[in-house]
Amino acid sequence: MLETRSTTFERDGNRIGGYAMVWDAPSRPITVAGLNGSRPFVERVAGPQAVQASLEQNIAVLVQHDKRELVANTKSGLVQLRTDSKGLAFEVTLPDTQRARDVRAMVDAGILTEMSFGFYTQEDKWSGNERTLHKIDLREISIVSDAAYPQGGVSLRNHDATAIARLRLRLRYPT
């Protein structure tokens, strides 16, 4: 079962960066059918060893975990991922596509404000209603509107009123 979790990011011009996950930081209460008797639980990612093996594969950057909303991937060279003492850091150079322009406009408008990650669990440990992820198969990171992990905030450095107006029109009058 593919699971998803969230955190926050920053945008500077054509780049989005920050942390896709922060080590040992608690999530908000999560409820996943089939896990913990379908009762809420709090989750943490143990540390860099949890994702290290995944960094050798192609990781996608999506919008809202939707595979049809691919923005970039590591194979293209537009995404850099690295682990440090804080968490899994990422930087995405947004390509010159309509989807990427829409993402920039939605970030500037405050619609997309956080990052999330999708994974398959390989090794976890439970203690009551707390789950620690020790090894996961990371498949994607996503730009999302609502996150399971509340760490940090979004900092927008550029504001393009024209792009926001175009996005609002497109959302009001879909083609």
Side-chain angles (χ1 to χ4, degrees), residues 12 16 18 46 51 61-63 65 71-72 82 84 89 100 102 119 130 145 154 156 160-161 174:
D12 185 11
I16 292 176
V51 298
V61 176
L62 307 175
V63 176
H65 299 290
V71 175
R82 66 176 170 73
D84 63 21
D102 289 347
F119 63 97
E130 290 198 20
S145 59
V154 176
L156 300 178
D160 183 348

Side-chain angles (χ1 to χ4, degrees), residues 123-138:
E123 182 185 334
D124 63 354
K125 291 202 169 67
W126 289 84
S127 177
N129 289 328
E130 290 198 20
R131 178 189 195 197
T132 302
L133 300 170
H134 289 277
K135 188 174 181 187
I136 62 173
D137 179 7
L138 181 66

Side-chain angles (χ1 to χ4, degrees), residues 31-59:
T31 303
V32 178
L35 288 179
N36 198 36
S38 298
R39 293 183 314 271
F41 61 93
V42 173
E43 180 179 81
R44 301 170 188 275
V45 179
Q49 73 282 359
V51 298
Q52 202 62 50
S54 297
L55 299 183
E56 300 300 317
Q57 63 190 21
N58 187 28
I59 307 294

Side-chain angles (χ1 to χ4, degrees), residues 19 30-31 35 39 55 58 69 80 86 94 98 114 120 126 130 132 154 163 166 172:
Y19 285 88
I30 301 168
T31 303
L35 288 179
R39 293 183 314 271
L55 299 183
N58 187 28
E69 295 292 329
Q80 284 74 46
K86 181 177 179 179
L94 297 171
Q98 187 59 53
E114 299 169 317
Y120 293 101
W126 289 84
E130 290 198 20
T132 302
V154 176
R166 279 194 313 263
R172 189 177 301 140

Side-chain angles (χ1 to χ4, degrees), residues 53-101:
S54 297
L55 299 183
E56 300 300 317
Q57 63 190 21
N58 187 28
I59 307 294
V61 176
L62 307 175
V63 176
Q64 301 284 57
H65 299 290
D66 187 340
K67 289 181 182 182
R68 296 168 297 181
E69 295 292 329
L70 177 65
V71 175
N73 57 30
T74 53
K75 183 178 176 181
S76 70
L78 295 173
V79 181
Q80 284 74 46
L81 298 172
R82 66 176 170 73
T83 60
D84 63 21
S85 61
K86 181 177 179 179
L88 177 64
F90 74 95
E91 184 172 284
V92 179
T93 301
L94 297 171
D96 185 21
T97 65
Q98 187 59 53
R99 180 173 292 121
R101 287 187 291 276

